[in-house]
Amino acid sequence: AQHHYLVIPRKHITNAKVLQGDDLEMTERMVSAGKSLLEERSVSLSEAQLGFHWPPFTMISHLHLHVIAPTNAVGFFGRLMFRPNSFWFVTADWLVERLRGMKTTEDEKAPES
């Protein structure tokens, strides 16, 4: 692809699977940073893919968001490696929704003050 960026948090987190509801804000900031990168380069978000590798299919033990565009320029291996919502790669939207669900559950369990 013409554009392939990584958004990496400063806090060490091994991978997307270990994220909890409390990590929602950080994850949303990562996604926002990725979208901003593309917008600054006049790349349409409709032609982009943002996502995370899902364990055990991770090669690097530090959380990172892939920002890839345009998706129609990704080669065969890349289409396989970054296949949305497969066993090994999840979209940023999917992960954010997962964390929102966790956050709601955590908030419901929190004792009232």
Side-chain angles (χ1 to χ4, degrees):
Q2 184 179 1
H3 302 276
H4 190 158
Y5 308 105
L6 299 178
V7 179
I8 304 168
R10 291 181 184 184
K11 177 182 175 184
H12 178 67
I13 299 170
T14 54
N15 59 61
K17 194 171 186 178
V18 301
L19 293 174
Q20 299 295 312
D22 289 342
D23 298 309
L24 174 61
E25 185 179 323
M26 178 206 60
T27 305
E28 289 176 326
R29 284 193 317 264
M30 290 175 69
V31 172
S32 179
K35 289 178 178 179
S36 292
L37 276 168
L38 294 175
E39 289 169 350
E40 289 168 7
R41 289 153 180 80
S42 300
V43 177
S44 171
L45 295 178
S46 67
E47 298 175 359
Q49 181 170 310
L50 285 75
F52 300 86
H53 285 292
W54 196 255
F57 304 98
T58 53
M59 292 184 222
I60 298 172
S61 295
H62 189 91
L63 181 68
H64 56 282
L65 167 67
H66 288 268
V67 180
I68 305 166
T71 53
N72 64 1
V74 176
F76 174 78
F77 181 70
R79 284 193 311 274
L80 181 62
M81 191 169 170
F82 301 107
R83 183 175 171 197
N85 299 329
S86 58
F87 291 116
W88 54 88
F89 190 80
V90 298
T91 64
D93 290 341
W94 182 89
L95 183 59
V96 165
E97 287 306 312
R98 180 176 194 261
L99 296 177
R100 281 187 183 140
M102 289 178 168
K103 182 87 171 141
T104 301
T105 303
E106 290 169 5
D107 289 346
E108 290 170 357
K109 289 181 182 179
E112 293 184 24
S113 310

